[in-house]
């Protein structure tokens, strides 16, 4: 049911009434219902919409009253609202949300802070709203900043046309673009919102049409990116009501929780300045904003709250940054089409573009005045920097297919002596300078544009920030250029301005199709000069302009006195060379040469020195102008610095006079250090050459440095950042001159402070014996440099010697482990004095050794220098494990202050000494069984020991028994014990028990005695031999182990019987237990009853002789395995079939023998080939077949088997398949052969109509397709490929395409295709010829008759009355022009529109086609001769008015590519009657003076006049 909401706002604040529209079909019915609902029977009122459109008749009722409409009851249409009223709105997202949602992802900012681009979306809307303003266009961005981010408010206010409640509702609908929105005026007229006339774009400079509020997306995305809530306040022009809409994230979430309609809300309609609906103490700025509404005719305000903390911080502290970015985006809207050009100081240039003012105000809590900035006052944006640093411009225009228009400009930023003027983008986060990883003095100046693209792109006048165009083909840097340096291309920047015909993303950050369309081949570029297009080659124009910019604007340095080229390995690889060397430069009118004294600037510190040479990077030869370079500078004074500096040329101080440079150098020379003053304030002085005992104290040292002036100094001359490197330090070193070389045992560095001198504390740690030197050296900073150039810095030296003291203790030296029980080892003892210096041991020293749990003894002690070596110490004791045991070894030497040392050592089990074997009694075993022994390896102390590679070996021996080679091995390396066992002991042909001896010892160790044990071995009772037989006919055949059994294929091996014998040769009775251990390989299951009787299953023989069958019989027993195997090999049986095949190609030429042979083989019933045949078998072989010449066949035995047949030939005339029948006795086989045509001897033309009669065609017509086939003598098609075939023709006949020799395909055919003939009338012949095996075969002659084409024009004939002279300005006599066909007759189909007459100046040539580049007049014919079709008349055509030689020619345009010209008609035009007079030599402006001389008063001395007979063309 449809409902409208009606507010009575004549007075009071009554809520709305709900009026149902059901059954109300006219305005009168609706008004009557409203009257009754409100009780207004006798009162006067009007009904109006929220947009103040009066509902007064059926038409307005039908157009404006609909379901959900909000209406007012007022006294009159202009009455102010007595109270606020709410209007229900619905703003479901438009369907374009789905259709276009994938075009771009919002604010993918690539490193930029996207907040300025969000503000730009709101400013776009404001520019579009103010586009039709007759006065100033005011746009204001207010920021109310608070320490609490939740209280921060952002407002965007403009004085544009405002929005009605309906338009405000449409604004809230997502994706409702300007092409879908409809607006309604006060009279109810609806129109599309976009009123911009796109045809006007060509007349709007830079497309600054303000039509940039486009998609219905950016504003909503922007406000919700900036904050979480927005309040739209708008007053449309001519309205007295203010419309207000609040959209917030919190409101959406609340509706979702309450399960309400999310995309529905209310528009508040109120009078201007009414803030009664605001509640809360934090809305003061909102109340001030609403109170300022009074008196405004139109406006729109966007109020955003809920600003994130990160945005608040960026807006407050990055104010200048984002303001500058906005100024760059709207640069040309703010400053006009020419941009922000330089003006007088402190003055703002007038804005020619409707006076757009974009002002930003930031209010901060606690500050009375806001921070105010107008975008027009910003001069740091990139476009301003580009415009003001440019020396010249190159304007152009591009016309893209369709209505796309692109204006462009290229600016040149020159190089000025020492720097590039191309501006840097300080706010681009992608502009990060990468520091050079090499540490050198080389400095690279700014490289201009670098890797940036040339063009920034603007759409409808505003910047699209993330799209740049690298270059176009005509302005790209060529690979080779001689006249223009390559760096000039790095000094250009550019801008492109497009209209709305190019697509951009919905957030206006990226173009979608600009570069692709600009680089399309149909795009036309033209240069613009003074607003006019210059149609010429834009590539050449650009190069000429760039060359002019370089020559006139770039200021460079002249390098002269070239001395060659060098490389500099200290620089990075890409800058090592070549470097050109020069000795003179000219810079800005001043000359600098090698040897000049110079001063640097912008270096730390300032350098003074002498020029060695000038260096220029690049492959240069001779004098050259360049923009960079370096100076090789020798700093002065050279003995003070002693280094060469490389300084960029732009750091040369050109204003420094020579006397200042000389005075500065001389001042540095007098400040060098001269001598060192040493004193000992606390005594204990060290004298040079003194001998001192170890540990003696050396007193504190005070040192002072004096320069040449007698001044005490602590630093070298200099100041600034290098001051720390010029401090003078004194380094104290104590050097011990040992036998191995000098060793620094003490090193100290002292610096000079404000309140203390150079001071070194006393030293008590010099204890090493030998000569020493105490050295005091002045050095430069911490680098340790002790000289300046060739001058050594001051120093002082004291030489002394240190001696040792008596021994007071001893230490145990390095022990060589590991230690083992019973193995001797040594202990070294070293003696020291009280300072740890090695000294001699006391006389009559005897070491005492003791350890708990060990018996210790040693051999003797020996001295080696200061070391006493105790030799051959042996320890005996018990060690439980292989890991060893720790013992405390005490060593004592009487007579020392420290007379004992406790040493902890670990003793491991000793080396193997004996073997323990059990049992000791003899063991009895059966032949084929193993024997085992328990073995332990022990050391000298009877400890179980382990050593690497301890292997116990047992060998067996027996008198009179051969083949006893079994050996047992046991590895005792890890455990020292184990069970020694191995494989069974097998004695061959053992009949009675024997006694064998086992010898057990350590492998490779002769020091350990072997142990003997006895073993008794008895014969085995297990099966040892198997005997097998089978029945072959009446014979019983024995089977030999591992041999072959031959038998007919497909039969059975039967009557298999076996017997088992033991080791002594006795037969073993068969029982079920024994036969259960027997396994056969040819069946899975065996019958126990048959096996007990000694019978084995039958064996199936394979059907094929190539398949043999290996069978085996095995008995698995604990005493050993008995295996018996043999191979069953089948042999072929009696012949049962014959098989014949062709050994090669089965094709045979008719009447010629078969090249391949026939092979026939015999096989038995299982298909096994029978290789051996009796000699009489060949007589039984018979051959037959249709047309077979039997007597020519040759039959023989095959090399390996069967028969070999050759000489097969067939007679007859038919082609196709024939069968060859081969019979041997009663066996038959067939071979199928293919009879093909014979060798090619003829040619046949296929599909050629009536070869005996000529084909009639016209000149230029096409012949039928021509195909040639090879044939044999019988006329059969011969399939011979790669035969060369040529087409011979009469020389007067021309074929298109030109006929060439072709080769036949696999079917023997050649397809020449379709030829177009060109020839005069007559009959011609075409003859195909083939070359077969050095002979030529000709085909039939094909005749072609050429007849003329009566519809093809070939000649233009002219007839007229000739005259000797013609007068200028008169008319020609009549010309009759005829168009002739090939038959020399008039062309009936000639058209007058294709005929024209050309008159032009004579060019002095006899060519019949017109010369290019000469101006001519053209006339059409007056009419055609009705009696003669193909003839045209040119009557009374005007003769040129300028006298001279002329030529007349007639041309007929047969088609687009063919023109037929007549002969040239030469004529002379004579002057006619004079009609004008003209001055040939202008005398200029006449002047005279008031003088007595006549010549001073003469106005004109002479003038030359000419008579003209007519006006010039």
């Amino acid at each position: 049911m449809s409902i409208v909401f009606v507010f009575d706002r004549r007075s009071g604040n009554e809520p709305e009434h709900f009026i149902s529209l059901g059954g109300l079909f006219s305005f009168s019915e609706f008004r009557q219902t409203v009257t009754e609902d409100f009780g207004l029977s006798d009162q006067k009122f009007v009904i109006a919409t929220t947009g103040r459109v009066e509902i007064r008749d059926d038409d307005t009722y039908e157009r404006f009253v609909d379901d959900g409409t909000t209406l007012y009851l007022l006294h009159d249409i202009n009455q102010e609202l007595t109270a606020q009223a709410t209007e229900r709105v619905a703003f479901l997202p438009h369907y374009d949300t789905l259709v276009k949602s994938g075009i771009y992802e919002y604010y993918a900012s690539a490193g930029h802070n996207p907040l300025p681009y969000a503000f730009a979306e709101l400013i776009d809307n404001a520019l579009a709203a103010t586009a039709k303003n007759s006065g100033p266009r005011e746009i204001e961005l207010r920021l109310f900043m608070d320490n609490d981010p939740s209280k921060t408010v952002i407002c965007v206010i403009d004085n544009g046309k405002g929005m009605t409640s309906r338009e405000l509702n449409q604004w809230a609908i997502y994706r409702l673009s300007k092409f879908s929105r409809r607006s309604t005026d006060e009279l109810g007229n609806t129109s599309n919102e976009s009123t911009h006339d796109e045809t006007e774009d060509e007349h709007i400079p830079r497309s600054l049409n303000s039509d940039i509020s486009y998609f219905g997306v950016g504003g909503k995305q922007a406000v919700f990116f900036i904050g979480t809530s927005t309040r739209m306040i708008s007053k449309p022009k001519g309205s007295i009501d203010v419309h207000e809409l609040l959209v917030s994230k919190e409101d959406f979430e609340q509706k979702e929780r309450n399960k309400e309609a999310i995309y529905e809300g209310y528009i508040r309609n109120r009078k201007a300045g009414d803030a009664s609906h605001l509640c809360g103490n934090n809305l003061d700025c909102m109340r001030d904003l609403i109170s300022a509404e009074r008196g405004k005719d139109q406006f729109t305000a966007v109020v955003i709250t809920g600003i994130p903390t990160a945005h608040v911080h960026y807006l407050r502290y990055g104010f200048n940054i984002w303001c500058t970015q906005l100024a760059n985006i709207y640069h040309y809207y703010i400053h006009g089409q020419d941009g922000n050009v330089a003006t007088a100081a402190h003055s703002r240039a007038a804005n020619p573009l409707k006076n757009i003012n974009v002002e930003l105000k930031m209010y901060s809590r606690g500050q009375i005045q806001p921070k105010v900035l107008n975008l027009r006052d910003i001069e740091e944006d990139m476009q301003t920097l580009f415009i003001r640093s440019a020396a010249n411009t190159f304007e152009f225009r591009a016309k893209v297919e369709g209505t796309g228009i692109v204006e462009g400009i290229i600016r040149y930023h020159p190089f000025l002596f020492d720097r590039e003027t191309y501006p840097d983008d300080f706010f681009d986060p992608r502009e990060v300078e990468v520091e050079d990883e090499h540490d050198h003095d080389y400095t690279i100046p700014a490289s201009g544009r670098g890797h940036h693209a040339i063009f920034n792109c603007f759409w409808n006048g505003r910047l699209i920030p993330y799209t740049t165009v690298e270059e176009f083909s005509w302005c790209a840097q060529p690979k080779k250029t001689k006249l223009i340096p390559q760096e000039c291309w790095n000094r250009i920047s550019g801008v492109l301005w497009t209209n709305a015909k190019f697509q951009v993303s919905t957030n206006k950050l990226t173009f979608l199709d600009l570069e692709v369309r600009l680089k399309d081949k149909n795009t036309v570029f033209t240069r613009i000069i003074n607003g006019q297009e210059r149609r010429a080659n834009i590539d050449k124009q650009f190069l000429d302009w760039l060359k002019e910019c370089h020559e006139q604007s770039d200021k460079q340095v002249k390098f002269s006195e070239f001395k060659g080229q060098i490389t500099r390995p200290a620089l990075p690889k890409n800058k090592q060379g070549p470097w050109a060397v020069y000795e003179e430069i000219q810079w800005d009118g001043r000359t600098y040469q090698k040897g000049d004294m110079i001063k640097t600037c912008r270096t730390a510190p300032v350098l003074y020195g002498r020029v060695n040479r000038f260096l220029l990077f690049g492959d240069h030869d001779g004098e050259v102008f360049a923009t960079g370079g370096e100076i090789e500078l020798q700093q002065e004074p050279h003995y003070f610095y002693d280094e060469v500096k490389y300084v960029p040329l732009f750091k040369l101080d050109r204003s420094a006079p020579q006397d200042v440079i000389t005075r500065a150098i001389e001042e540095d020379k007098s400040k060098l250090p001269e001598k060192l003053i040493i004193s000992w304030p606390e005594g204990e002085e060290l004298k040079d050459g003194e001998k001192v005992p170890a540990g003696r104290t050396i007193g504190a040292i005070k040192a002072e440095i004096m320069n040449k002036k007698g001044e005490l100094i602590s630093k070298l001359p200099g100041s600034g950042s290098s001051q720390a490197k010029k401090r003078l330090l004194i380094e104290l070193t104590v050097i011990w001159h040992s036998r191995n070389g000098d060793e620094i045992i003490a090193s100290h560095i002292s610096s000079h402070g404000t309140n203390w001198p150079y001071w070194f504390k006393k030293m008590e740690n010099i204890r090493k014996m030998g000569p020493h030197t105490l050295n005091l050296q002045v050095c430069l900073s911490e680098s340790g440099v002790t000289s300046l150039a060739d001058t050594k810095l001051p120093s002082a030296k004291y030489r002394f010697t240190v001696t040792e003291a008596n021994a007071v203790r001893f230490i145990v030296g390095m022990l060589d482990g590991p230690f083992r029980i019973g193995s001797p080892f040594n202990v070294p003892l070293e003696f020291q004095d009280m300072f740890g210096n090695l000294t001699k041991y006391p006389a009559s020293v005897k070491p005492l050794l003791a350890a708990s749990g060990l018996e210790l003894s040693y051999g003797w002690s020996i001295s080696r220098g200061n070391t006493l070596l105790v030799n051959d110490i042996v320890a005996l004791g018990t060690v439980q494990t292989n890991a060893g045991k720790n013992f405390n070894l005490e060593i004592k030497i009487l007579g020392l202050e420290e007379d004992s040392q406790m040493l902890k050592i670990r003793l491991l089990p000793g080396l193997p000494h004996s073997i323990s074997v059990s049992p000791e009694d003899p063991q009895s075993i059966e032949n084929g069984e193993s024997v085992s022994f328990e073995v332990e390896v022990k050391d000298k102390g009877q400890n179980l020991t382990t050593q690497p590679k301890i292997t116990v070996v047992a060998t067996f021996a027996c008198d009179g028994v051969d083949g006893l080679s079994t050996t047992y091995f046991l590895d005792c390396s890890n455990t020292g014990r184990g069970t020694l066992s191995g494989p069974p002991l097998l004695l061959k042909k053992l009949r009675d028990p024997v006694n064998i001896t086992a010898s057990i010892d350590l492998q490779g160790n002769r020091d350990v005695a072997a142990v003997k044990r006895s073993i008794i071995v008895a014969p085995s009772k297990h099966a040892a031999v198997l005997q097998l037989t089978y029945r072959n006919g009446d014979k019983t055949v024995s089977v030999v182990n591992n041999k072959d059994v031959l038998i007919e294929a497909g039969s059975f091996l039967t009557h298999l019987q076996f017997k088992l014998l033991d080791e002594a040769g006795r037969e073993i009775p068969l029982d079920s237990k024994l036969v259960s251990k027997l396994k056969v390989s040819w069946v899975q299951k065996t019958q126990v009853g048959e096996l007990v009787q000694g019978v084995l299953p039958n064996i199936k023989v394979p059907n094929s002789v190539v398949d043999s069958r290996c069978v085996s019989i095995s008995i698995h027993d604990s005493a050993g395995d008995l295996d018996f195997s043999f191979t069953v090999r089948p042999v072929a049986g009696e012949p049962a079939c014959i098989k014949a095949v062709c050994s090669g190609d089965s094709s045979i030429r008719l009447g010629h023998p078969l090249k391949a042979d026939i092979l026939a083989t015999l096989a038995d019933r299982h298909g096994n080939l029978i290789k051996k045949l009796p000699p009489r078998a060949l007589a039984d072989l018979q051959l037959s077949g249709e047309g077979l010449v039997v007597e020519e066949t040759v039959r023989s035995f095959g090399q390996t088997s069967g028969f070999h047949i050759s000489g097969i030939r067939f007679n007859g005339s038919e082609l196709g398949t024939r069968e060859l029948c081969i019979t041997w006795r009663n066996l038959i086989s067939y071979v199928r052969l293919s009879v093909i045509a014979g060798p090619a001897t003829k040619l046949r033309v296929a599909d050629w109509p009536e070869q005996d009669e000529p084909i009639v065609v016209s000149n230029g017509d096409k012949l039928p397709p021509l195909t040639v086939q090879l044939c044999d003598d019988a006329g059969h098609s011969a399939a011979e490929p790669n035969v060369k075939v040529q087409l011979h023709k009469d020389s007067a006949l021309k074929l298109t395409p030109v006929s060439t020799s072709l080769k036949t395909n696999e079917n023997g055919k050649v397809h020449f295709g379709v030829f177009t003939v060109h020839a005069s009338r007559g009959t011609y012949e075409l003859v195909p010829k083939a070359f077969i095996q050095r002979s030529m075969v000709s085909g039939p002659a094909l005749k072609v008759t050429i007849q003329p084409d009566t519809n093809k024009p070939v000649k233009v004939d002219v007839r007229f009355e000739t005259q000797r002279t013609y007068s200028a300005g008169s008319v020609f006599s009549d010309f009759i022009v005829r168009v002739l066909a090939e038959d020399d007759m008039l062309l009936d189909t000639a058209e007058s529109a294709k005929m024209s007459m050309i008159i032009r100046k004579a060019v002095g040539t006899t060519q019949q086609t017109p010369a290019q580049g000469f101006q001519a007049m053209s006339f059409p014919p007056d009419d055609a001769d009705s009696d003669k079709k193909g003839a045209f008349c040119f009557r009374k055509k005007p003769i040129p008015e300028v006298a001279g030689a002329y030529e007349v020619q007639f041309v007929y345009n047969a088609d687009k590519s063919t023109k037929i010209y007549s002969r040239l008609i030469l004529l002379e035009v004579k002057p006619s009657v004079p009609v004008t007079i003209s001055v040939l030599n202008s005398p200029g402006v006449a002047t005279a003076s008031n003088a007595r001389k006549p010549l001073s008063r003469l106005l004109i001395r002479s003038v030359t006049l000419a008579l003209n007979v007519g006006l010039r063309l």
Side-chain angles (χ1 to χ4, degrees), residues 784-1082:
V785 176
T786 60
S787 62
L788 293 175
D790 298 331
T791 304
K792 187 73 174 179
L793 293 178
S795 63
K797 291 185 178 180
Y798 296 88
R799 296 175 177 83
F800 61 97
T801 303
V802 178
T803 60
E804 71 278 2
N806 295 327
V808 296
R809 61 177 175 269
F810 73 94
I811 60 174
V812 179
M814 184 67 67
L815 300 180
D816 188 11
F819 307 109
R820 298 184 178 275
I821 295 293
S823 297
F825 59 92
N826 304 328
V827 176
L829 303 179
E830 296 178 351
F831 294 86
Q832 298 177 346
D833 62 7
M834 61 182 299
F835 300 108
N837 297 315
L838 292 178
T839 185
K840 293 183 179 181
Y841 57 89
S844 64
V845 171
K846 185 177 182 179
L848 301 177
L849 305 179
S852 177
L854 293 177
E855 296 179 7
L856 295 174
S857 64
Y858 68 91
W860 70 92
S861 59
I862 185 173
S863 63
R864 293 179 181 176
N866 296 330
T867 302
L868 182 65
L869 186 63
V870 182
N871 290 326
D872 294 340
I873 302 174
V874 177
L876 295 177
T878 302
V879 178
Q880 300 292 338
T881 64
N882 293 331
K885 181 178 180 181
N886 292 332
F887 295 92
N888 293 324
L889 175 61
E890 182 182 10
I891 303 175
K892 181 177 291 187
I893 298 178
L894 302 177
L896 299 179
E897 294 182 9
E898 300 177 12
D899 60 353
S900 65
Q901 290 284 344
M902 185 67 70
L903 178 65
K904 180 177 286 188
I905 63 173
R906 172 176 288 272
L907 289 177
L908 302 176
L911 297 176
H913 182 263
S914 61
I915 302 175
S916 175
V917 181
S918 61
E920 296 180 357
D921 299 332
Q923 299 186 56
S924 296
I925 62 172
E926 192 173 291
N927 190 19
E929 294 181 350
S930 299
V931 66
S932 61
F933 303 96
E934 297 297 328
V935 179
E936 291 183 350
V937 182
K938 295 184 179 181
D939 63 3
K940 192 174 182 180
Q942 295 302 305
N943 299 309
L944 195 65
T945 183
T946 59
Q947 294 292 327
K949 299 182 180 180
I950 295 181
T951 304
V952 180
V953 181
T955 58
F956 302 91
C958 180
D959 296 335
V961 177
D962 297 331
L964 191 59
S965 60
T966 303
T967 304
Y968 289 179
F969 295 92
L970 174 63
D971 186 6
C972 296
S973 301
N974 297 324
T975 60
R977 64 174 67 183
T979 301
L980 178 61
S981 184
L985 299 178
L986 293 175
L987 302 180
K988 297 180 179 180
K989 301 179 181 180
L990 183 63
R991 300 295 182 180
D992 299 316
V994 297
N995 189 6
I996 65 176
T997 301
S999 177
I1000 302 171
D1001 60 356
L1002 290 183
Q1003 187 178 24
N1005 195 333
R1006 298 181 178 180
D1007 296 335
V1008 179
V1011 178
K1012 304 290 185 179
R1013 293 289 184 267
S1014 295
I1015 304 170
I1016 300 174
V1017 181
S1020 174
K1021 299 179 182 179
H1022 297 278
V1025 179
L1026 186 145
Q1027 294 179 351
L1028 179 65
T1029 60
Y1030 70 96
R1031 182 71 59 84
N1032 186 5
D1034 297 335
K1035 296 180 180 180
T1036 300
V1037 182
S1038 296
V1039 179
V1040 182
N1041 188 21
N1042 295 323
K1043 297 294 183 179
D1044 294 340
V1045 175
L1046 301 179
I1047 193 167
E1048 183 180 346
S1051 62
F1052 286 89
L1053 188 62
T1054 60
H1055 298 91
L1056 287 170
Q1057 294 184 344
F1058 71 97
K1059 294 180 180 180
L1060 294 179
L1061 305 178
D1062 64 5
E1063 191 174 23
R1066 301 182 295 269
E1067 183 177 355
I1068 301 174
L1070 300 178
D1071 55 15
S1072 59
K1073 181 179 180 181
L1074 179 59
V1075 298
S1076 64
K1077 300 177 182 180
L1078 187 142
K1079 304 294 182 184
V1080 295
S1081 62
W1082 61 91

Side-chain angles (χ1 to χ4, degrees), residues 342-633:
T343 57
H346 307 294
S347 63
R348 178 190 296 178
N351 188 342
L353 196 67
K354 294 187 178 181
N355 197 17
I356 297 176
N357 286 311
V358 181
E359 194 169 62
L360 297 90
K361 295 181 179 180
M362 186 169 68
Y363 298 83
S364 299
R365 182 174 294 277
Q367 296 182 1
I368 300 176
Q369 296 297 330
K371 180 187 288 188
V372 181
L373 182 62
N374 193 297
L375 293 187
R376 202 182 303 173
D377 296 333
I378 296 176
E379 297 184 352
E380 293 81 17
D381 63 288
M382 290 306 300
Q383 288 302 313
T384 299
L385 298 178
F386 281 132
I387 292 171
R388 295 190 177 184
S389 63
N392 204 342
T393 58
F394 181 93
E395 294 192 44
F396 61 92
R397 178 177 296 169
K399 291 186 178 180
V400 184
E401 187 175 1
T403 58
I405 300 175
V406 178
E407 296 179 73
I409 189 171
I410 299 177
R411 303 184 178 102
Y412 190 81
H413 308 275
F415 182 89
L416 299 180
F417 296 115
D418 59 351
R419 64 185 179 87
E420 296 281 0
T421 60
Y422 190 97
D424 295 325
D425 189 354
F426 299 103
F427 303 110
D428 190 350
R430 294 169 291 185
E431 287 294 311
V432 180
E433 294 185 359
V434 180
E435 295 185 359
D436 196 341
E437 63 180 354
H438 300 278
D439 185 13
H440 54 82
D441 293 334
Y442 177 72
T443 304
I444 301 176
S447 60
R449 177 166 53 87
H451 298 290
H452 286 276
I454 296 178
F455 296 99
N456 291 323
C457 303
F458 287 74
W459 177 77
N460 281 345
R462 69 98 85 186
L463 177 69
I464 304 301
Y466 294 162
T467 293
T468 57
V469 177
E470 181 69 27
E471 60 189 12
F472 299 115
S473 59
W474 52 268
C475 64
Q477 179 178 346
K479 294 182 178 179
K480 294 183 179 180
T481 176
K482 297 182 179 179
L483 301 179
I484 306 174
Q486 295 183 356
E487 57 267 20
C488 291
W489 273 268
N490 267 348
R491 297 172 186 155
I492 60 175
S493 66
V495 179
L496 300 177
W497 293 274
T498 74
N499 61 1
K501 291 300 180 179
F502 295 86
Q503 297 183 19
V504 296
S505 58
T506 56
N507 53 11
K508 305 186 189 76
L509 294 180
T510 309
F511 273 100
L512 301 183
D513 60 348
L514 175 61
E515 187 168 2
V516 174
R517 294 180 62 186
L518 282 176
K519 294 185 178 180
D520 186 81
K521 63 180 180 180
N522 297 323
T523 301
V524 179
F525 292 90
T526 54
R527 185 180 181 184
I528 305 298
I529 300 178
N530 297 327
Q532 301 297 322
E533 293 186 357
R534 178 69 60 89
R535 295 190 177 275
N537 188 341
I538 195 170
D539 302 65
K540 184 178 183 301
Q541 293 184 81
F542 174 76
L543 291 177
D544 293 343
W545 172 82
L546 190 62
K547 180 182 177 184
E548 178 185 350
C549 292
H550 171 64
E551 294 174 349
Q552 298 181 2
S553 302
D554 288 340
K555 306 298 182 183
Q556 298 179 318
V557 180
K558 180 181 179 182
F559 289 78
S560 56
E561 298 296 329
F562 175 74
K563 296 301 178 182
Q565 294 182 349
I566 64 170
T567 58
R568 298 169 65 184
L571 294 182
K573 290 185 178 180
N574 61 339
K575 286 295 181 181
Q576 289 182 0
W579 286 86
V581 179
Y582 295 90
E583 292 187 350
E584 181 179 293
I585 64 170
Q586 295 180 14
W587 187 1
D588 199 15
R590 186 173 176 181
T591 301
Y592 297 89
Q593 296 178 339
K594 175 182 178 181
D596 289 353
M597 301 297 292
I598 63 171
K599 174 189 174 185
T600 66
C601 61
R602 290 180 285 177
T603 59
V606 175
L607 304 178
Y608 297 89
R610 190 180 306 275
V611 176
N612 287 345
R613 55 187 175 179
F614 300 95
L615 302 176
L616 180 63
F617 182 74
D619 188 8
H620 303 289
D621 185 8
E623 293 186 356
V624 67
F625 286 88
T627 59
E630 292 189 6
I631 307 171
E632 186 181 282
L633 177 68

Side-chain angles (χ1 to χ4, degrees), residues 1399-1402 1417 1440-1448 1465-1469 1513:
I1399 304 174
R1400 59 180 175 272
K1401 280 279 190 179
M1417 296 183 297
E1441 297 180 354
V1442 179
Y1446 288 86
E1447 56 188 23
V1448 178
I1465 302 172
L1466 302 178
L1467 51 89
E1468 184 73 19
V1469 177
L1513 291 178

Side-chain angles (χ1 to χ4, degrees), residues 129-200:
T130 60
K132 302 299 182 181
N133 283 17
S134 57
R137 301 168 64 182
E138 302 290 343
I139 301 173
E140 185 177 346
L141 179 60
R142 297 181 187 175
L143 289 79
F144 298 92
M145 311 301 293
D146 196 285
N147 295 330
D148 184 359
S150 62
K151 298 180 181 179
T152 298
V153 180
I154 297 175
C155 302
V156 181
I157 307 170
D158 65 73
N159 64 341
K161 63 181 180 179
M163 290 183 285
T164 64
S165 60
R166 183 183 295 262
E167 292 170 339
L168 190 57
N169 184 15
Q170 292 176 348
W171 174 90
I173 298 177
Y174 189 76
R175 282 282 181 191
L176 187 63
S177 68
K178 73 170 190 176
F179 305 103
S180 303
R181 294 194 291 266
R182 311 288 293 181
S183 61
T184 306
D185 58 16
E186 293 183 358
L187 299 178
N189 299 318
T190 59
S191 63
N192 190 284
E193 186 170 307
S194 178
T195 58
H196 170 61
D197 187 3
E198 295 179 353
T199 61
E200 298 178 357

Side-chain angles (χ1 to χ4, degrees), residues 1353-1356 1450-1452 1459-1462:
V1354 295
K1355 183 179 180 182
V1356 175
F1450 295 86
V1451 59
Y1452 183 75
K1459 292 183 179 181
I1460 303 174
Y1461 295 92
S1462 70

